[in-house]
Structures are given as structure tokens and as C-alpha cells.
Amino acid sequence: MLRDLTLPSSLAPPEDSSMWRPDFLFGAATAAYQIEGAAAEDGRLASIWDIFSRTPGKVLNGDTGDHACDHYRRWAEDLELVAGLGLGGYRLSIAWPRVMDEAGRPNTKGLDFYKRLLDRLQQQGLQAFVTLYHWDLPQHLQDRGGWLNRDTVQRFADYADVVSRELAGRVNAWTTLNEPWCSAFLGYGNGHHAPGLKSVRYAVDAMHHLLLAHGEAVRVLRGNDRAPVGIVSNVNAVKPDSERPEDLHAARLAEACANHWVLDPLLLGHYPEALRELWPGIEPAVRPGDLALISTPLDYLGINYYFRANVGSDGAHGYVERSQPNVERTQMGWEVYPEGLRDLLVGFKRRYPGLPPIYITENGMASDDRVVDGRVDDPQRIDYLRRHFAAVDEAMRQGVEVKGYFVWSLLDNFEWAYGYERRFGIVHVDYRTQQRTLKDSALALREFLAQRRSRA
């Protein structure tokens, strides 16, 4: 429902910002497992998240993505929300288990769903940023080792081939992987995410195979379609707990793990040396040609940013996170620190010669949002977005090429191990009725984008 409202505050960037220009892309982002539901319909296979979320104790309140936001049926309504807000782009992911069977053959019904969705985006003049892998690995591949099995690299290339042949011409930008750090470390290192394994050795192996799969997919996608190809990496700002040498060193190790573990092999062609100190004796099984494949040049780099971590020495060769008092936090408990996004972007420009153009592919916050008299008042989110827009603007003024920004997320959704309790959307979802309600943040964003159009 679109309605008029005296907005509590503006989230617009500075008046002279390049983000006011029509060629700067604003969009909203989602992920298949988090919104689609229809977990067993039209030939969709089980994913690792189906199995993980149904395992007692793994997800808050025992929630699953079986129904989620029912986007599989309500996709047209949801795309109307995107268009109605005046956004220029929509970032979505393909559910691997929905589009292929166990033998690797295409599932026509699943592919047709995405064709209809992408065709509608084209009709609405919206750019489609399509992610191949947003964590929903088919369970039958996990049963054979998942990302610990180098054969999964080839299975991902096969998947990329099928999808890009079927969807060629409908996609404005391809993303191979979303946040390989989360897939590797949270999924295989500490067990917080599917498939729930807990071994640093596993995390290191999984990361290498994920990055190899990215490299293979880049070649496949470029062979089948003309749309630019990139990858999305989550990054964290890191603050040392004190100026003591051991805490400063711990912060460098934390940054190597959080940021450089993914970006160094992609952009420099090698893994960061600091990981050898952090995890002595544990290294990826690199074969000749692996790093050249992983570092295949990108057309763009997606950056997901949410918070800053405060870390100190663990007294050995690692680091630990330490609580920092008297800072603003979100419902997730994450510190709100917009300056970290600016500093990371500027630092990446220095660290990585030839840094490709950047899109902020996720940025947003969770809050305990309620509908009261038809309204969702979320002033912290409006302020959060405004301050992060300003941080992006500051990075651009320092020479970082940022071409767009996608708010996370369009809809409240299944927030992985936190289930449905944490609400990241600019659109509120009543999970019982599936009613969508624009939050004040969505209305503020709509107002800014209308002002931008009026200037064009």
C-alpha cells in the first residue's frame, strides 16, 4: 500500500553527492531461500538449509524457510513494490535446487518461474542482478561432501551453464557467489549455518573450492551471455580493543580473516600470509592453475557491509571479539558504524591495484518492527541508511568507483539461524497473513528517489 506521510526524517545523501545522478543505481536485494517458500513444489529438491532448519536447535524458534514470504506465488506483487518505490534495480538469487534435478538436468518448471520474474523486471525497466549461489546447496551434493568435495566445483559450473543458457539476455549482471566467507566459515568452520560442520580445516577447504567454483563459473557465464560478471563479498570493519601491540596485531589477523581471505585470492592471486599465523599448519590444497583461475578479472565487485567488530588478542596466535560498551547497536547486536564502510572502500582501493567498479550489494539493519495503526515507524533504519549513504559518498569523493547501492532487504524474511525474529526489510511482512506494509524507511527512500528523478 502506497500512502502519503509526513516523513520523520530524510535519508537522502549530501546535496552535491554523485548518488543523486540518474546513472547511480539504487535497488533492493533478496535471496531465494529467505523469501520464496514453496520448498517442495514444482520439482524443487531439498537444500542444505531445508535439512539444517528442520534439525532441532539449529534455528531460532524452530523456524524453517518452507513458507517464508510466499514469494514463489506472490512474486508479481513483490516486484510491484520494487517498481512503486522508484528503485532502478532488483537483486535476487536463483535456487539451485529449484532448477536442476539430481542428474543435473534442467527443471523446466523452476526455470520458468525465473523467466517470468525476469521478464516482468524487464517490462518494468528494472535492472536484474542475479546471484547463482546464495547458500542453498542441493542436499544431494552435500551428501557427497558439499564444498569439501572438489567435484562440487564442476557441479557448480554445470549449474552456471544451464542457468546462463536459459536466462541469457534477461540478466543485467551476474553474481557467482554471495558471501563465500559465510558459506565457508559459518557453514563449515563454526557450524552456525548449514551444513553445520565445525572445523577450521573444513572451512579452509570449503573456501578454496567455493572460489574455484567462482572462477569456473566466470568463464561459463562469459561464454553464454554478455552481462557483466562479479562476486559478492561481505566485509567487516575491525577495531582493536586497545593500543597494546598484541591487540593491534589481533586486529590485523581479524581483518585478514574477515576481508582478505576472500579478496586477496580474487584480486591479488594469493591467500593472505596472516592466515598461516592464524591457523598454523592449515592451508588450502592449491593445485597448479587454481589461483590463476580464481583471480580471473572481475567486471565488478559486490560489497556487503553491516558492522564493526571490536577484537583483542586471545593470548595465543589468534583473536577474540570483545564487547564494546556505549555504542549504537541493531536488533542483531551489531555496532552501527557507517564510517567503517567508507574506510574499507578507500583501503581496498589502496590495497588492490585495478580494483573493479563496486556495487554495495547489501547494507541494512534489523529491528523489532511492528505495524501500529497501519504504520511501521523505523527511525533508526532511516538514520542508518542516511549515514551509510553519506559514507559511500565520502568514499566516492576519495576516488572509489561505486556504481550502485542495494538495500538489504526488500522484505522481512527468514534470517537464517535467527529465523523470523530479526526483521531487515524496508517492507514489513506479516508471516501469518503475508500482508506487506511499507515501513517509514521505504517511504523515505521513495521520497528521495522521486526527488532524484525530478532533478534529472
Side-chain angles (χ1 to χ4, degrees):
M1 175 176 69
L2 299 180
R3 58 189 172 83
D4 294 324
L5 178 72
T6 301
L7 299 174
S9 63
S10 171
L11 51 65
E15 283 293 319
D16 60 345
S17 172
S18 296
M19 298 172 79
W20 284 93
R21 291 180 1 201
D23 61 343
F24 188 92
L25 180 65
F26 278 96
T30 62
Y33 188 74
Q34 293 181 271
I35 66 169
E36 284 183 0
E41 294 191 23
D42 292 336
R44 181 186 177 279
L45 305 178
S47 77
I48 56 175
W49 270 98
D50 293 298
I51 304 306
F52 186 79
S53 64
R54 294 169 192 160
T55 304
K58 296 298 185 182
V59 174
L60 196 65
N61 300 319
D63 293 336
T64 75
D66 288 357
H67 303 289
C69 304
D70 196 29
H71 177 75
Y72 191 69
R73 296 181 185 85
R74 300 170 185 267
W75 63 270
E77 173 189 350
D78 292 337
L79 295 192
E80 286 298 323
L81 290 173
V82 178
L85 291 171
L87 295 165
Y90 178 57
R91 178 173 174 244
L92 67 144
S93 74
I94 306 295
W96 188 350
R98 197 179 290 286
V99 297
M100 295 179 76
D101 66 13
E102 287 197 30
R105 296 178 297 240
N107 175 17
T108 300
K109 289 184 177 180
L111 287 163
D112 285 348
F113 165 70
Y114 295 108
K115 289 177 182 178
R116 291 192 298 270
L117 192 156
L118 292 169
D119 287 346
R120 182 66 59 84
L121 287 172
Q122 283 190 338
Q123 293 164 11
Q124 293 173 321
L126 294 164
Q127 293 191 41
F129 275 58
V130 175
T131 300
L132 287 177
Y133 187 69
H134 202 127
W135 308 353
D136 45 358
L137 182 73
Q139 181 62 37
H140 68 88
L141 293 179
Q142 181 59 40
D143 292 342
R144 288 180 275 179
W147 292 111
L148 301 181
N149 184 351
R150 192 176 171 109
D151 182 65
T152 303
V153 174
Q154 186 55 51
R155 302 289 74 76
F156 185 73
D158 295 342
Y159 161 57
D161 185 52
V162 166
V163 171
S164 58
R165 287 180 185 276
E166 292 282 343
L167 303 184
R170 292 177 163 95
V171 174
N172 295 93
W174 291 101
T175 298
T176 55
L177 308 175
N178 178 77
E179 300 184 347
W181 187 93
C182 291
S183 296
F185 194 82
L186 300 183
Y188 291 85
N190 69 8
H192 185 63
H193 281 185
L197 302 182
K198 299 180 181 181
S199 164
V200 172
R201 168 80 271 171
Y202 290 166
V204 169
D205 288 345
M207 176 67 83
H208 188 60
H209 294 150
L210 282 155
L211 295 179
L212 278 175
H214 155 77
E216 289 284 5
V218 170
R219 297 198 300 195
V220 169
L221 293 167
R222 286 178 173 157
N224 291 344
D225 197 15
R226 295 181 178 181
V229 181
I231 189 173
V232 166
S233 180
N234 59 300
V235 297
N236 296 341
V238 177
K239 174 185 177 296
D241 191 49
S242 77
E243 293 300 312
R244 295 184 303 166
E246 57 266 36
D247 286 343
L248 294 172
H249 184 62
R252 287 191 287 271
L253 293 177
E255 189 167 11
C257 176
N259 303 331
H260 306 154
W261 187 14
V262 173
L263 295 180
D264 279 13
L266 288 171
L267 301 175
L268 297 178
H270 60 76
Y271 286 100
E273 184 66 30
L275 296 185
R276 291 189 171 93
E277 179 180 349
L278 185 62
W279 302 318
I282 301 176
E283 296 196 26
V286 178
R287 298 180 185 177
D290 282 1
L291 288 167
L293 179 62
I294 289 170
S295 59
T296 301
L298 301 167
D299 296 315
Y300 75 92
L301 173 65
I303 290 294
N304 294 354
Y305 175 81
Y306 290 97
F307 62 91
R308 178 173 69 168
N310 184 62
V311 304
S313 172
D314 66 356
H317 51 73
Y319 63 90
V320 293
E321 290 197 30
R322 294 180 180 160
S323 178
Q324 187 174 13
N326 304 317
V327 298
E328 180 187 358
R329 297 188 183 277
T330 69
Q331 188 190 19
M332 297 290 289
W334 296 342
E335 181 190 0
V336 177
Y337 189 70
E339 296 84 355
L341 177 56
R342 174 202 64 203
D343 296 344
L344 284 166
L345 294 175
V346 173
F348 293 156
K349 181 174 175 60
R350 289 197 300 266
R351 184 179 180 91
Y352 302 114
L355 181 71
I358 286 173
Y359 288 88
I360 307 304
T361 37
E362 288 182 26
N363 179 235
M365 60 157 286
S367 56
D368 184 18
D369 300 319
R370 314 287 176 89
V371 180
V372 179
D373 296 329
R375 175 182 178 184
V376 182
D377 182 18
D378 58 341
Q380 187 188 14
R381 182 175 288 107
I382 293 174
D383 188 58
Y384 180 103
L385 295 175
R386 178 188 60 79
R387 292 160 61 194
H388 283 81
F389 286 1
V392 172
D393 172 68
E394 291 169 6
M396 294 169 71
R397 293 173 192 270
Q398 295 187 51
V400 182
E401 184 181 5
V402 183
K403 300 183 70 173
Y405 170 98
F406 291 78
V407 62
W408 183 269
S409 174
L410 176 67
L411 303 171
D412 291 337
N413 54 50
F414 177 83
E415 184 48 41
W416 307 112
Y418 295 100
Y420 295 104
E421 184 184 86
R422 314 294 167 93
R423 293 180 175 270
F424 274 90
I426 57 172
V427 177
H428 182 278
V429 177
D430 183 320
Y431 298 114
R432 183 180 60 84
T433 66
Q434 293 298 336
Q435 174 70 36
R436 273 74 161 142
T437 302
L438 298 182
K439 301 179 186 180
D440 283 5
S441 56
L443 297 170
L445 180 59
R446 186 183 70 179
E447 176 65 21
F448 156 58
L449 294 173
Q451 292 173 10
R452 196 175 73 141
R453 288 194 301 275
S454 71
R455 291 189 179 189

